[in-house]
Every structure is written in C-alpha cells, then in structure tokens.
Amino acid sequence: ILNVEQSPQSLHVQEGDSTNFTCSFPSSNFYALHWYRWETAKSPEALFVMTLNGDEKKKGRISATLNTKEGYSYLYIKGSQPEDSATYLCAFITQGGSEKLVFGKGTKLTVNP
Amino acid sequence: DSGVTQTPKHLITATGQRVTLRCSPRSGDLSVYWYQQSLDQGLQFLIHYYNGEERAKGNILERFSAQQFPDLHSELNLSSLELGDSALYFCASSVEGADSRNTIYFGEGSWLTVV
C-alpha cells in the first residue's frame, strides 16, 4: 500500500513569515508528484507537477523542490500572506501505477495578519 | 474556475437511496477521475475513465458505479447509501490519461450527506 505523508498537519504563521512543509513518498518506482492548493469551498488548484530528481519549480512566492532518491518534496512559501491560507496537498504516482494519484492528508496553513 | 463542472453541489438523501453525481470535464479533456474526501481521510481515488473507457479502479465500493459518455461527461452512481458514504466527491479531468504528468484539474465537488 502506497503511503504519502505530509507534515506538519497544520501550521500557523504570521503575515510576512516564510514557511515550508514536507511531502514524503515511497522512493521506488517514482513517476510524478503533484502539489495542489485547496481553499475551503473551492476546487483544489494545481500548483506543480514534478517529475525529475532535483526539480525546482516556482510560481510567484511559492516554490517546490523534489528529491526522488530519498522520497521527499518541499513546498516553500516566501513572505506568507493571509490569502495563502489553505490546505496544501501533495499527490504521488508510481511508474506503472495504473494512473492512480495517491494523496496525502495535506498541510493546513493559516496566515495571521 | 478550473473549467470542471460538478452537479449537484450539495445533496442530502436518506440511507438506502440512490444518487447520481454528474461531472463535465474541461473542454478538450479526455480523462475523468473521481475522488472521495471523507472526514479525516485524504482524497481517495475511486475510478478513472479515458475517452469513454475505464482505465483504473481504486477503492470503489461495489454499490458505486461510474461511466463516461460519448460527450465525455461522467456520472458517478451511488446506491444503497449508508451513513458512511457521506463525503465530498470530487471529479477531476486532464487532457490525456496515459501520462499522469499532465496537470489534473478539479471541480468544486459534490457534498453528499446521507441521513
């Protein structure tokens, strides 16, 4: 059974703080890792699809890195804003994994003004 | 707006009943995925269709079934409903199915409450 772990479960930061959280996944047969941002009552919004070891992707103040050999990805938010408050989900898929994205339970970020 | 449309947004029904959730994928997307989000659980994969054909099945109960129609919209049928089926059901779509390195776009979900 594939297991994707995200930590921490929840995080409270002050506006302007930079923060990061972790997604851990099985390192064998890696195929792709997806990051999503999910605000309550909205649809999960795709942030990044990461495929190569050492990948680093950036979208505004949000960036992500990938280490497939050790099985983790970090998501960084620089200068957090209240509008960054959301649950951040990662999802993993294995090579030959019949196209099933396996999601972690997410990290809930709250940015206090 | 992701371009994926789900109806209904909210549904309350009694145990033992049957409901149908509907999903229209983004224009041009051939793949449709269904996920279930229960309390304290991550998004659980149910089923994936690509251009009308079932491609992959996850932890989908036998009481649940799905299909993708020629116009590419999809329906998830939930029957003999139990209290534990109360959840947020997401539909998602992507351009292709064979390569999950494509971005997958989610709808806003259908909230099902079984009473």
Side-chain angles (χ1 to χ4, degrees):
Chain A
I1 296 176
L2 295 174
N3 213 25
V4 178
E5 300 284 343
Q6 290 189 248
S7 62
Q9 274 189 327
S10 64
L11 192 54
H12 290 252
V13 301
Q14 288 299 123
E15 182 175 355
D17 287 351
S18 292
T19 187
N20 66 83
F21 20 93
T22 307
C23 172
S24 301
F25 52 85
S27 56
S28 57
N29 298 320
F30 174 85
Y31 189 67
L33 187 89
H34 296 235
W35 278 102
Y36 289 87
R37 178 177 179 278
W38 183 20
E39 286 183 71
T40 305
K42 294 188 178 178
S43 52
E45 173 197 352
L47 291 173
F48 307 113
V49 180
M50 308 187 79
T51 58
L52 297 174
N53 185 43
D55 247 358
E56 186 166 341
K57 297 207 170 179
K58 192 173 179 184
K59 188 176 182 177
R61 293 179 292 100
I62 303 176
S63 60
T65 60
L66 178 68
N67 184 324
T68 61
K69 295 189 188 309
E70 295 182 39
Y72 64 84
S73 176
Y74 292 140
L75 190 80
Y76 300 90
I77 302 179
K78 187 177 175 183
S80 304
Q81 300 296 309
E83 58 265 30
D84 295 329
S85 297
T87 296
Y88 291 83
L89 299 168
C90 70
F92 165 78
I93 186 164
T94 57
Q95 202 160 30
S98 65
E99 304 161 40
K100 288 186 278 189
L101 277 177
V102 179
F103 278 85
K105 292 185 181 179
T107 292
K108 185 173 180 180
L109 174 68
T110 304
V111 183
N112 299 309
Chain B
D1 181 6
S2 65
V4 179
T5 304
Q6 289 188 247
T7 57
K9 288 195 182 333
H10 299 273
L11 189 55
I12 300 174
T13 191
T15 53
Q17 295 298 303
R18 182 180 189 275
V19 298
T20 297
L21 309 180
R22 195 178 192 278
C23 171
S24 294
R26 289 187 333 145
S27 177
D29 283 0
L30 299 177
S31 268
V32 169
Y33 308 80
W34 286 98
Y35 284 85
Q36 180 192 54
Q37 169 85 46
S38 304
L39 279 173
D40 297 328
Q41 296 289 321
L43 280 163
Q44 300 290 315
F45 170 74
L46 295 178
I47 199 162
H48 169 213
Y49 278 85
Y50 176 72
N51 203 20
E53 291 188 9
E54 182 185 303
R55 272 293 180 89
K57 229 171 185 175
N59 300 323
I60 187 166
L61 299 171
E62 283 189 14
R63 300 183 285 108
F64 296 1
S65 64
Q67 53 184 325
Q68 186 180 27
F69 295 87
D71 67 352
L72 301 177
H73 91 270
S74 177
E75 291 181 356
L76 180 67
N77 300 297
L78 315 173
S79 61
S80 303
L81 285 166
E82 301 175 1
L83 295 177
D85 297 327
S86 297
L88 179 58
Y89 291 85
F90 278 112
C91 170
S93 74
S94 67
V95 172
E96 296 174 7
D99 181 356
S100 291
R101 290 172 172 172
N102 294 306
T103 298
I104 296 175
Y105 297 89
F106 280 79
E108 292 185 357
S110 292
W111 274 105
L112 173 66
T113 303
V114 182
V115 295

